Amino acid sequence: MRQGSSCSEQVCFDLLNQFEHILESDPLIDEVGFIHPSQFMVLDKEAGSSTSTSFWNQDHKLGISTDILIQLCKDAKHAFLSAFKEYKSHVGVCCSLASKVMKHSQALLLLSSDFGTAWNARKLILSKQDQPLEAFTEELCLSRLVLSNCPKSEPTWSHRRWILKMISRSFSSPQLQEIINKESELVESIGEVYRSVLCFIYNEEIKDELSCMVSPLLVGFLHDNRAGTTRVA
């Protein structure tokens, strides 16, 4: 057992596999949070079922025990960096290596949203070839999931802004308008609860960058949401 750790190295890598399996088996997860072990019994009682003492997954919500958080994050980081190093050393496009990087970076970012190298790795892979719209909408889903737990994560907002710019360059205006509609709901919901300055900045930058393409809709929703995103840090 590592000093200062609540689980052995092998157990934590098993937990990383379990964590990634949960994410793959429930793609509709829309909220992630870190919970104290004492809350597992309460949640199980409310749900009328029993889960593990490491993860709680019900109704597309995922709770991660704070007991395993530090070591799980270390092992997710190790898995990601190893996969990314292998990916960069490979000549040409390798889908299997890219998939490993995307899988491990997803796990890492849900545990540590400000790990910029993981976001940059995802940008690199998504920029390599012409990607279908689905690849970018899935990326929007991931960043939205990260924001459910870390709504003031600047790297996450920045990555989301990059995704929208990529979509605007490659896909038609009607498709972008539908995505912007959903973006309005996200900004409004986060702005109402957290009143984060990042929401305000995000609104302003997206408006400036994309308004020429979907100006009536985009300008409308951004101005409507200003009231919910006041300049509060």
Side-chain angles (χ1 to χ4, degrees), residues 8 12 80 114 154 156 164 171-174 214:
S8 69
C12 274
F80 160 69
D114 290 346
E154 194 280 332
T156 307
L164 289 176
F171 302 97
S172 66
S173 183
V214 286

Side-chain angles (χ1 to χ4, degrees), residues 9-228:
E9 182 175 356
Q10 183 58 49
V11 168
C12 274
F13 271 111
D14 289 343
L15 288 172
L16 176 60
N17 291 332
Q18 185 181 347
F19 178 39
E20 292 176 336
H21 174 71
I22 292 172
L23 295 173
E24 291 176 358
S25 60
D26 187 1
L28 298 180
I29 292 174
D30 57 13
E31 187 175 350
V32 172
F34 306 141
I35 57 179
H36 191 272
S38 63
Q39 296 300 307
F40 276 78
M41 290 184 62
V42 176
L43 292 170
D44 285 343
K45 185 176 181 180
E46 291 178 353
S49 61
S50 179
T51 62
S52 75
T53 57
S54 300
F55 302 102
W56 187 88
N57 181 212
Q58 296 283 343
D59 300 323
H60 308 305
K61 312 296 180 187
L62 176 59
I64 304 168
S65 172
T66 54
D67 260 4
I68 66 168
L69 187 57
I70 294 177
Q71 191 61 52
L72 184 60
C73 186
K74 288 180 180 179
D75 290 318
K77 178 181 176 181
H78 174 76
F80 160 69
L81 290 176
S82 296
F84 192 36
K85 181 179 180 180
E86 186 178 5
Y87 173 80
K88 290 190 295 183
S89 66
H90 188 84
V91 178
V93 177
C94 181
C95 293
S96 62
L97 290 178
S99 295
K100 283 179 62 178
V101 173
M102 296 297 270
K103 180 177 74 171
H104 295 319
S105 62
Q106 177 189 35
L108 176 58
L109 289 165
L110 288 170
L111 300 168
S112 179
S113 63
D114 290 346
F115 199 86
T117 304
W119 287 123
N120 290 336
R122 299 183 73 86
K123 287 187 179 76
L124 177 65
I125 291 172
L126 289 170
S127 302
K128 282 285 187 178
Q129 294 179 306
D130 291 337
Q131 300 285 349
L133 179 61
E134 182 182 6
F136 293 104
T137 55
E138 287 178 354
E139 201 70 3
L140 286 174
C141 288
L142 170 61
S143 62
R144 185 178 188 132
L145 186 56
V146 172
L147 289 170
S148 73
N149 190 39
C150 304
K152 296 186 179 182
S153 170
E154 194 280 332
T156 307
W157 284 109
S158 177
H159 187 73
R160 195 171 185 86
R161 189 160 53 246
W162 177 84
I163 299 165
L164 289 176
K165 289 173 66 176
M166 293 295 289
I167 293 174
S168 71
R169 294 171 183 172
S170 305
F171 302 97
S172 66
S173 183
Q175 291 171 309
L176 182 58
Q177 287 183 359
E178 182 179 353
I179 291 170
I180 290 298
N181 275 332
K182 295 180 180 179
E183 204 67 10
S184 171
E185 297 173 3
L186 174 68
V187 172
E188 183 176 3
S189 62
I190 292 180
E192 285 179 351
V193 175
Y194 297 97
R195 296 191 175 276
S196 170
V197 67
L198 290 175
C199 282
F200 181 87
I201 294 173
Y202 180 75
N203 272 349
E204 294 301 303
E205 292 183 348
I206 289 298
K207 180 185 71 174
D208 292 341
E209 292 168 359
L210 304 183
S211 60
C212 60
M213 302 191 65
V214 286
S215 54
L217 175 65
L218 187 58
V219 173
F221 104 70
L222 289 170
H223 280 288
D224 289 344
N225 281 310
R226 279 183 176 179

